[in-house]
Amino acid sequence: MTTRFGAPGTGLSRREFLAATGATGLASLAGCSAGGTNEPAATSGTPTQAQTDSPDLPYTSPPTVVNVDEQGGEVTMQTQQARHAVHPLDTMGGPVEFPRVWAFQADDNDPSVPGPILRTTEGNAMEVTLDNTDGRRPHTIHFHGVRKTWENDGVPTTTGIQVPPGETHTYEIPANVPGTHFYHCHFQTHRHIDMGMYGVYRVDPEGYEPADREYFMTIKDWDSRVPRKWAGEADFTYNSASRNPDVFTVNGKSAPRTLHPEEGSPIIVDEGDSVRIHLVNGGYMSHPMHIHNHRFQRVEKDGGTIPEAARHDMDVTNVAPAERHTIEFTADADPGIYLMHCHKVNHVMNGTFYPGGMLTGVVYRSVMDTDIFNQLMEYAGYTA
């Protein structure tokens, strides 16, 4: 799999990124933090509590796009306990880490939170095998949006089907509703989503025309006591009614880690690019997502195409829990670095530190060799 720099989607290749930043040669390659490993890409000098309490668990990697069509319509989703480095540095209010999450892992890829982005084409079907062989508790997978048979709905209460530890189960999921969708575990849903069991499912319509740059972004609010409780670090009775969100992420990371070109989700563009972003809310709160210095149009919502007559220019879209908004804009601003973030300002914080949290940025390739970009990379933990 080719490593792309930027949010999951059509970012830059490693060679393109290094050329844009002015880094060349083997020394630069050696200095880059490697994506797709079982260790955080960069750590502070002193191990965090999460790093010392769960030494046997792997770290999650960023979510990857899995083209299920290219795999003959089949994908295996394993369940995996892992550690999750939301922002492992001591910059900008860090470190922020979850000592234990419950992750999905597609085939032989690394476990990730959010889970892998499953992509297929309208008219095809997926066989999704939930492999809970190494699990410790029952799980299911429920897919929003698509129309499927009753037994494939992934809800144990109404179908009688769950996947106990040590077992596997295959779901038949038809790709009959084009658009961007959401999947998650539906066993004790409130708890299992809050432990990381959620992801994006994309059905491209027939004749789909991709944009110049296309990215996936899953936003989520977290009560950090929950992953700490299941690691034995927090003593409280879980009650979704008294949930206290205190960590806010984009694709599982909080700023400034969101701006890390491999571990995070910067929206990398060239001047004049058409840009399409698939936004999914995997949490329990609404998040008004605002973009700086660009105007976008919302072209899809929850798998439905918005008629052109109903579209208008905007710079904030309020994404409710489980909603999916696809937005499009042209990269026509003065080339620079522009924020994209939740406009509930307390969601753009790491604890008491501002900025942080649910914030990423639109980064023009032409400014990647500037001092300010290098400073942001230092905050994010990227060295080259």
Side-chain angles (χ1 to χ4, degrees):
M1 182 180 296
T2 301
T3 299
R4 309 299 294 186
F5 282 59
T10 53
L12 303 184
S13 68
R14 179 179 292 274
R15 184 178 299 275
E16 289 174 322
F17 181 82
L18 292 176
T21 58
T24 58
L26 293 177
S28 299
L29 287 172
C32 296
S33 55
T37 67
N38 286 337
E39 295 295 331
T43 60
S44 55
T46 304
T48 66
Q49 188 75 17
Q51 291 169 323
T52 57
D53 279 1
S54 303
D56 57 326
L57 296 180
Y59 271 97
T60 59
S61 291
T64 57
V65 180
V66 177
N67 190 320
V68 183
D69 292 348
E70 294 178 354
Q71 301 185 171
E74 299 179 355
V75 62
T76 296
M77 299 280 277
Q78 302 174 58
T79 61
Q80 173 70 267
Q81 293 194 86
R83 291 177 285 175
H84 184 61
V86 178
H87 171 49
L89 305 184
D90 56 8
T91 56
M92 298 175 75
V96 182
E97 297 204 18
F98 297 155
R100 183 162 302 185
V101 292
W102 303 337
F104 285 118
Q105 175 178 338
D107 302 317
D108 58 356
N109 295 309
D110 293 334
S112 66
V113 172
I117 298 153
L118 305 181
R119 192 165 198 171
T120 186
T121 306
E122 181 183 10
N124 292 344
M126 295 196 311
E127 288 190 357
V128 182
T129 298
L130 177 57
D131 182 351
N132 201 23
T133 303
D134 297 326
R136 298 186 180 181
R137 52 194 53 82
H139 296 297
T140 71
I141 306 181
H142 167 64
F143 287 85
H144 287 221
V146 296
R147 296 177 62 87
K148 50 207 174 290
T149 62
W150 176 20
E151 66 180 3
N152 287 293
D153 195 38
V155 182
T157 310
T158 54
T159 66
I161 298 172
Q162 63 187 36
V163 188
E167 296 189 13
T168 65
H169 178 79
T170 298
Y171 298 92
E172 302 285 343
I173 306 298
N176 51 17
V177 178
T180 300
H181 304 297
F182 179 54
Y183 69 82
H184 59 86
C185 179
H186 218 294
F187 183 88
Q188 297 181 342
T189 314
H190 56 298
R191 181 179 300 160
H192 287 222
I193 290 179
D194 245 2
M195 285 296 290
M197 305 195 81
Y198 65 97
V200 177
Y201 169 44
R202 171 69 191 177
V203 179
D204 290 333
E206 294 181 11
Y208 182 65
E209 296 183 5
D212 297 324
R213 300 287 179 191
E214 185 167 12
Y215 295 111
F216 291 89
M217 307 192 91
T218 308
I219 54 179
K220 189 178 186 307
D221 46 272
W222 302 80
D223 184 335
S224 66
R225 297 175 303 171
V226 179
R228 288 192 291 111
K229 174 183 174 65
W230 290 97
E233 294 181 12
D235 183 15
F236 77 106
T237 300
Y238 183 86
N239 182 346
S240 59
S242 60
R243 188 171 177 271
N244 181 31
D246 60 343
V247 174
F248 303 91
T249 61
V250 177
N251 286 335
K253 304 295 182 182
S254 291
R257 197 64 167 183
T258 51
L259 295 168
H260 192 288
E262 291 177 287
E263 296 291 316
S265 297
I267 304 162
I268 301 174
V269 301
D270 286 308
E271 296 171 55
D273 276 348
S274 59
V275 185
R276 184 175 299 147
I277 301 176
H278 304 287
L279 275 167
V280 179
N281 188 344
Y284 304 156
M285 306 175 73
S286 294
H287 298 290
M289 297 302 293
H290 168 55
I291 192 169
H292 286 210
N293 217 38
H294 296 80
R295 300 280 284 173
F296 59 78
Q297 292 191 346
R298 191 168 55 198
V299 299
E300 290 180 12
K301 183 180 181 299
D302 301 338
T305 300
I306 297 175
E308 290 192 17
R311 301 177 190 176
H312 58 90
D313 290 346
M314 52 202 300
D315 57 31
V316 178
T317 185
N318 191 35
V319 191
E323 279 191 346
R324 294 87 69 195
H325 295 192
T326 295
I327 63 173
E328 293 182 353
F329 65 91
T330 301
D332 56 2
D334 179 36
I337 303 168
Y338 299 101
L339 299 185
M340 183 174 184
H341 61 91
C342 179
H343 220 288
K344 294 179 179 177
V345 180
N346 60 315
H347 296 182
V348 189
M349 300 179 70
N350 295 329
T352 60
F353 190 95
Y354 174 90
M358 194 177 288
L359 175 152
T360 185
V362 178
V363 180
Y364 282 73
R365 188 190 330 200
S366 59
V367 304
M368 285 182 168
D369 60 352
T370 61
D371 289 342
I372 186 62
F373 181 76
N374 289 335
Q375 184 179 17
L376 288 173
M377 292 300 94
E378 183 177 351
Y379 291 150
Y382 183 85
T383 57

